[in-house]
Structures are given as C-alpha cells and as structure tokens.
Amino acid sequence: ITSDLYAGNWDAAYVILENYKFIEDQSGTPDKAYFQAIAKIMKAFHFQRLVDLYNNVPYHDALIATNSFPEYDSAASIYQDLVVQLDSAALIISTANVVLVDNPGSSDVMFQGNMDEWIKFAHTLKLKILMRETEMAGGPANITAHLSGLTTDDFLGAGEDAAVNPGYSNSSSAQQNPLWQNVGY
C-alpha cells in the first residue's frame, strides 16, 4: 500500500462524472429520460465511492468546466444531496412516458434496459449512502424519512446485482481480470 494507491479512482472518476453530466444535461429531450436517469444514478454511485474513499471532495462546483479550483464539500452534505439525486432519478424513470422514451436495451450493460432494476439499484445505493449517516447529527431521523414507504421488494434482492463482467474468464489468460493477471497470477 502506497500513498497513491487510490489515485486512479480520483483521476478517472471526474472524467467519468463529466460524461454522465453531459448525458444528464440533455434534459430537453423526453425520449432520453431513461438515459438521463441512468446517468444521474451512476453519478451518485461514483460520487459515493469518492466520498467513501476520500471523505470531503469537490461536488457542487466539481463539474463546472470554467472552474479550475472547485471547493471541497463536506461528506455529509454530499451524501444528503446524493439521496435527493437518487430519488429524482427513480421518479424520472417511474413517470417517463413509455411510448415516447427510448429504452436503453442492449446498450445498457448492467440491466439490459430493465428500468425496474435501475429503480431497485437506485434504492439500494440510497440505502448504502443512508447507512453512512447513522452517526451523523440527525442521521437516524433522516434515514427513517428517506426509507419511508419502501419495502424489501424495492431493493436489489437475492439473485439480483449490479455487476458488469466485460468478458473476464479463467478459461484464457488473455481474458483474466487485470488485477488478478498483474498481482495474483
């Protein structure tokens, strides 16, 4: 373990987040509602990972192209906003006009366009974020309020996950997971 162990997470995250922001900003097109919701969920996922790894990170000012020196936001305020963003994404999906909206289908490598699974993923990610708030001031009340009305069926359950395998396999050394190929193998 070195001081730059997680540097790749930091370096790559904001580039990825900028791409999700671009998709999310296409809000004037109702046919892209599912893509916008997915981008919103994935932004929350990546910001949650950054906060888990580093605590305070640039958030509100981070994706403004003209701002070279974004301020760092507190982990607590980021977590709170991520919960709001996830609720917003779930609402976009559930209220989209299925006649007009483009379904991501096979371009969705995680759930193959199953938007119910995306809502479950958003709720599961929200639960994970809320668990980080258990020791924050007002945390338990906030957790209860944000989980009100949800049941176990609203989360990813047994046999459901958000894993993506780009083709890794033990059958060939050319298809092994890069971490295993470089470290374990």
Side-chain angles (χ1 to χ4, degrees), residues 39-50:
K40 197 178 267 292
I41 293 167
M42 293 307 297
K43 266 179 59 182
F45 172 77
H46 283 280
F47 270 118
Q48 173 261 314
R49 286 187 64 209
L50 283 171

Side-chain angles (χ1 to χ4, degrees), residues 93-171:
I93 293 169
S94 63
T95 60
N97 184 337
V98 294
V99 175
L100 297 177
V101 70
D102 291 338
N103 187 295
S106 62
S107 64
D108 172 5
V109 297
M110 197 162 358
F111 297 119
Q112 293 71 47
N114 183 333
M115 300 315 292
D116 291 334
E117 293 293 307
W118 276 105
I119 291 174
K120 286 182 176 185
F121 179 55
H123 290 154
T124 303
L125 184 56
K126 178 169 85 168
L127 177 62
K128 183 178 179 181
I129 291 168
L130 289 170
M131 292 302 295
R132 307 290 197 264
E133 296 185 13
T134 56
E135 295 188 25
M136 294 179 184
N142 189 39
I143 293 167
T144 301
H146 282 291
L147 294 178
S148 177
L150 296 177
T151 68
T152 55
D153 292 336
D154 294 315
F155 301 93
L156 292 175
E160 299 174 314
D161 63 39
V164 175
N165 182 348
Y168 298 139
S169 167
N170 287 333
S171 65

Side-chain angles (χ1 to χ4, degrees), residues 37-116:
I38 290 170
K40 197 178 267 292
I41 293 167
M42 293 307 297
K43 266 179 59 182
F45 172 77
H46 283 280
F47 270 118
Q48 173 261 314
R49 286 187 64 209
L50 283 171
V51 174
D52 285 356
L53 288 170
Y54 300 105
N55 197 30
N56 301 339
V57 298
Y59 178 67
H60 288 98
D61 297 336
L63 303 178
I64 299 171
T66 57
N67 188 352
S68 300
F69 302 100
E71 291 185 29
Y72 280 60
D73 295 282
S74 73
S77 70
I78 296 170
Y79 283 146
Q80 289 171 0
D81 192 62
L82 293 179
V83 168
V84 171
Q85 296 304 315
L86 289 166
D87 285 341
S88 172
L91 183 64
I92 289 169
I93 293 169
S94 63
T95 60
N97 184 337
V98 294
V99 175
L100 297 177
V101 70
D102 291 338
N103 187 295
S106 62
S107 64
D108 172 5
V109 297
M110 197 162 358
F111 297 119
Q112 293 71 47
N114 183 333
M115 300 315 292
D116 291 334

